[in-house]
Amino acid sequence: MIYPIVKYGAPVLEQEAHPVTEFDAELRRLVADMFESMYAAHGVGLAAPQIGIPRQLAVIDITTGQDPAARLVLANPRIIRTEGKQREEEGCLSLPGFHADVNRPARVTFRAQDATGKSYEKTGEELLARACCHEIDHLHGKLFIQHLSALKRDLIRRKVRKLAKAGDW
Ligand code: ZN
């Protein structure tokens, strides 16, 4: 099932998500639906709050479906180590049409559980490091615009408000 993506302005995007406690068939269904929804939206990552579900769950595939081995399920993820710095343009499925340069670590090691509840650790660089930080931020109610200057953030907020007023958001 393809879920519609929740857009900026929805309270669920700015709330702390609840930990995943049950690794059952329902969770595996949700994970499969999240991959399907992410691919349909041409994203490289999707967090559960973006489909209106406040759970600490995200999926990432920086190959956009090209390599099945690149699929990552992050349940209850925690960043445990970061190194270096990178600055690249970033966007978000919940803020369609908006992009901005965001500082992120160049290399990120995180610990998470997979869809069966098994703990694992992984280190990602470049786009994977960026995607991990971006998706984990979502689970704590944080969007990429919170990494921008107040000026840039307000500009985007104003534009979104205008679009919403016109019924285009
Ligand atoms: Zn996002």
Side-chain angles (χ1 to χ4, degrees):
M1 165 186 171
I2 295 173
Y3 283 89
I5 310 286
V6 171
K7 288 185 191 169
Y8 174 57
V12 69
L13 291 176
E14 291 176 273
Q15 287 167 4
E16 180 77 19
H18 309 293
V20 176
T21 52
E22 304 280 328
F23 294 86
D24 53 8
E26 189 218 319
L27 183 78
R28 283 189 286 281
R29 179 75 254 161
L30 177 60
V31 165
D33 287 344
M34 284 176 63
F35 274 111
E36 201 184 339
S37 305
M38 177 180 77
Y39 293 136
H42 307 290
V44 295
L46 183 71
Q50 292 184 278
I51 54 166
I53 299 173
R55 270 200 255 178
Q56 288 186 27
L57 180 68
V59 296
I60 292 175
D61 178 358
I62 58 163
T63 74
T64 56
Q66 299 305 301
D67 177 8
R71 287 172 163 232
L72 288 173
V73 176
L74 290 77
N76 306 322
R78 294 283 175 274
I79 289 174
I80 53 174
R81 201 162 48 243
T82 64
E83 275 175 79
K85 236 166 103 178
Q86 58 167 317
R87 185 174 176 83
E88 294 288 339
E89 192 175 70
E90 201 163 311
C92 179
L93 294 176
S94 295
L95 273 155
F98 293 98
H99 296 88
D101 285 346
V102 179
N103 289 326
R104 298 285 190 185
R107 180 197 277 253
V108 169
T109 301
F110 69 91
R111 191 174 291 149
Q113 285 164 281
D114 67 15
T116 68
K118 197 176 143 229
S119 290
Y120 69 97
E121 233 180 79
K122 190 167 174 72
T123 300
E125 293 178 349
E126 298 174 1
L127 179 57
L128 183 54
R130 174 171 298 282
C132 289
C133 293
H134 182 112
E135 299 314 324
I136 293 172
D137 270 357
H138 270 304
L139 307 183
H140 302 289
K142 203 167 174 186
L143 296 160
F144 81 89
I145 55 170
Q146 276 155 274
H147 292 281
L148 307 179
S149 67
L151 197 74
K152 281 184 188 160
R153 189 166 54 242
D154 286 345
L155 190 69
I156 291 176
R157 278 201 186 122
R158 271 205 301 277
K159 283 183 182 165
V160 168
R161 230 175 280 144
K162 212 180 253 178
L163 285 168
K165 230 178 192 173
D168 295 329
W169 188 248

